[in-house]
Amino acid sequence: MKVAILGGDGFCGWPASLYLSDQGHDVVIVDNLSRRAIDEELGAESLTPIASIDDRLAAWEEVSGKKIGFANIDVAEEYDALLDFLNTQRPDAVVHFAEQRAAPYSMKNARNKRYTVDNNVRATHNLLAAIVETQQDIHVVHLGTMGVYGYGTAGMKIPEGYLEVQVTTDEDENGQPAEERTITQEILYPSNPGSVYHMTKVLDQHLFAYYAKNDELRITDLHQGIIWGTTTEQTARDERLINRFDYDGDYGTVLNRFLMQSAVGYPLTVHGTGGQTRAFIHIRDMVRCIEIALNNPPARGQKVKIFNQMTETHRVRDLAELIGKVSGAEVALVPNPRKESAENELHVVNETFLDLGLNPTTLAEGLLHEVEEVAKKYADRADLDKIPARSLWTQNQQAGDPRAAEK
Ligand code: NAD
Ligand code: USQ
């Protein structure tokens, strides 16, 4: 299959590109390298020394004998270039990772809120409009988030995208009084995003529903949980293929941050009481899920397929305690810089991927150590000042800095 990977230079996109190429797919990456520019803007680099995109691609060809193409296109800003790319490359499928994905970065200030909305919504809409304009039958696989649902339970497991609702009415179809009856309808599960970033994924959902209905585009939206781990079988083959490892307060995600903090001897930054429960998936399962989704597209005219791409849920303080136990790290309860519930339960349906053959990689000590070992190897590249989460959801919040009292 010919697959275009939008955002293929990023944390998820790079290992997914290598995995698909390794499986024999013809892969071409589209990326404007904006994530590397944000590293510079924040003065916070990946803990691992990531090679330039040219060196990455040359290394992959050398190691695997397979070629991955690359086009530097801003999907949000360069519509004509995107259209031209689709017309010349004619991919069977596009995997769309090309969005600003950090909730804290999106909440930093008005500029970042506007950039995140402009970049993400325009990137998604440009892709959909361009596919319609090219008149090609291209399957779109989009990386969405579990955060579109919020993190509550509503007294049941969160379903895969849709909810059947029943409304009891004593009116007929014309709004005239009638005998009481119950109408059943399927709707998108009510959204409840917790940041401007998460909100852009809610807006994406509606763009997808519209284009699937109006233009019969074939679209799969993967509601992904937090990725943990950094290494896949392919990225481990050569140091120049190494994946990025974000640990800073804006881009680092919780479990990888805790493992890095443990590796460099920094107290684990548990926000508030650590009562947030979230969905997780290991990076090696993520790459497999992408291929499973590519192999199981919806038919033309079918509604958007929504899969919950997660394998397990964990409470933040339980993760900190586990890491403390296995590696002796100190746990610090710091002020929560975010506006989120102190505690939540989370139960999620993820049967589609399991039914399609995913064999989940669950949180195991060995894999936790593997991530910690990567962090230890590059510990001298860490800038400890970049660890605290300083982006505040409202003026009333405080930075999640365990060393604030010492400063
Ligand atoms: P990332 O920031 O590492 O990668 C995103 C890539 O997209 C970067 O290489 C960036 O340069 C590129 N990009 C952004 N805007 C672009 C544009 N306008 N044109 C072209 N390229 C553009 O993020 P990631 O962690 O790899 O996440 C990828 C996707 O997966 C995101 O959409 C994110 O919402 C989703 N996701 C990530 C996680 C996670 O834990 N990392 C969890 C759930 C969902
Ligand atoms: N947290 C801590 N300490 C830290 C960092 C985070 O306690 O040092 C807490 C946060 O307050 C939050 C939880 O851990 O309650 C998760 O935070 P996170 O930064 O790991 O994840 P989040 O902001 O939700 O975003 C990440 C990705 C995003 C993706 C999302 C999936 O950056 O792209 O969409 O995970 S999900 O969380 O399922 O919505």
Side-chain angles (χ1 to χ4, degrees):
M1 190 185 303
K2 176 142 194 181
V3 191
I5 310 279
L6 312 190
D9 186 48
F11 171 64
C12 296
W14 176 242
S17 299
L18 296 186
Y19 180 79
L20 293 172
S21 172
D22 209 26
Q23 303 305 305
H25 298 287
D26 182 3
V27 174
V28 52
I29 289 174
V30 173
D31 203 299
N32 66 345
L33 310 182
S34 53
R35 180 66 193 87
R36 291 176 188 255
I38 292 175
D39 271 348
E40 282 180 27
E41 172 193 319
L42 296 174
E45 276 185 311
S46 162
L47 186 66
T48 46
I50 51 173
S52 70
I53 184 72
D54 290 343
D55 289 348
R56 280 181 153 185
L57 297 175
W60 179 243
E61 196 176 343
E62 203 181 298
V63 167
S64 70
K66 293 177 173 128
K67 229 180 161 72
I68 294 181
F70 174 65
N72 186 331
I73 299 171
D74 185 328
V75 181
E77 298 285 342
E78 298 175 304
Y79 178 79
D80 290 343
L82 175 65
L83 187 65
D84 187 45
F85 170 86
L86 293 175
N87 274 325
T88 48
Q89 295 289 332
R90 305 192 68 79
D92 301 297
V94 171
V95 185
H96 174 25
F97 292 98
E99 297 185 76
Q100 193 299 102
R101 71 102 176 129
Y105 183 81
S106 79
M107 298 303 289
K108 248 182 160 53
N109 50 44
R111 172 191 169 271
N112 287 18
K113 290 176 188 175
R114 293 174 59 231
Y115 165 69
T116 303
V117 171
D118 291 349
N119 186 63
N120 295 4
V121 177
R122 290 180 72 185
T124 298
H125 188 252
N126 280 350
L127 173 64
L128 299 173
I131 292 176
V132 173
E133 192 171 345
T134 64
Q135 299 187 352
Q136 293 173 52
D137 181 17
I138 300 173
H139 176 207
V140 175
V141 175
H142 171 252
L143 274 292
T145 176
M146 284 298 301
V148 295
Y149 306 121
Y151 310 101
T153 61
M156 60 178 183
K157 280 187 169 180
I158 294 180
E160 300 199 86
Y162 299 97
L163 184 66
E164 198 176 274
V165 294
Q166 296 190 328
V167 181
T168 303
T169 176
D170 55 8
E171 290 179 354
D172 68 14
E173 280 160 15
N174 302 315
Q176 297 304 314
E179 210 168 297
E180 197 172 271
R181 65 203 170 96
T182 301
I183 307 165
T184 303
Q185 243 193 320
E186 192 181 60
I187 58 168
L188 277 172
Y189 189 88
S191 60
N192 186 13
S195 72
V196 166
Y197 151 71
H198 287 98
M199 184 185 62
T200 64
K201 299 285 182 173
V202 171
L203 301 175
D204 284 346
Q205 279 199 109
H206 290 279
L207 293 173
F208 295 139
Y210 177 77
Y211 275 88
K213 178 189 70 163
N214 194 65
D215 299 281
E216 301 193 354
L217 293 196
R218 294 184 299 133
I219 302 169
T220 302
D221 198 5
L222 304 174
H223 288 186
Q224 184 168 258
I226 301 171
I227 303 286
W228 70 284
T230 73
T231 311
T232 61
E233 195 214 308
Q234 292 75 27
T235 66
R237 284 191 204 163
D238 188 292
E239 178 124 23
R240 292 166 296 166
L241 299 174
I242 203 165
N243 197 16
R244 56 181 311 131
F245 190 143
D246 294 313
Y247 67 93
D248 63 283
D250 285 324
Y251 276 88
T253 52
V254 65
L255 183 48
N256 278 2
R257 259 165 76 75
F258 285 174
L259 291 164
M260 176 276 176
Q261 291 167 354
S262 164
V264 300
Y266 196 93
L268 310 188
T269 53
V270 172
H271 293 166
T273 59
Q276 276 280 324
T277 306
R278 294 289 177 113
F280 291 84
I281 179 166
H282 191 270
I283 196 156
R284 289 184 206 146
D285 283 353
M286 179 274 293
V287 300
R288 289 190 202 111
C289 285
I290 301 292
E291 194 184 30
I292 293 173
L294 285 169
N295 287 336
N296 292 279
R300 265 189 99 88
Q302 201 184 325
K303 70 181 181 189
V304 177
K305 263 195 183 182
I306 301 178
F307 300 176
N308 290 340
Q309 186 162 309
M310 52 75 68
T311 54
E312 52 194 334
T313 59
H314 294 284
R315 205 179 286 279
V316 167
R317 64 168 169 265
D318 295 341
L319 293 175
E321 272 167 29
L322 175 66
I323 295 166
K325 209 165 73 194
V326 298
S327 67
E330 181 194 337
V331 176
L333 298 182
V334 298
N336 193 342
R338 305 184 184 204
K339 193 167 178 177
E340 58 187 4
S341 314
E343 306 274 325
N344 77 293
E345 297 293 329
L346 185 62
H347 304 289
V348 181
V349 174
N350 64 345
E351 271 147 30
T352 308
F353 274 123
L354 300 181
D355 289 348
L356 290 171
L358 179 72
N359 181 16
T361 307
T362 46
L363 202 85
E365 269 190 35
L367 284 172
L368 293 174
H369 281 306
E370 181 193 280
V371 181
E372 223 181 317
E373 285 311 310
V374 174
K376 275 192 185 138
K377 183 168 176 196
Y378 298 105
D380 61 330
R381 288 173 48 85
D383 178 349
L384 302 195
D385 277 349
K386 297 294 177 195
I387 291 181
R390 295 198 174 89
S391 175
L392 307 182
W393 262 234
T394 71
Q395 297 300 319
N396 303 327
Q397 320 286 139
Q398 281 177 54
D401 184 351
R403 295 184 170 167
E406 297 165 21
K407 287 186 180 160

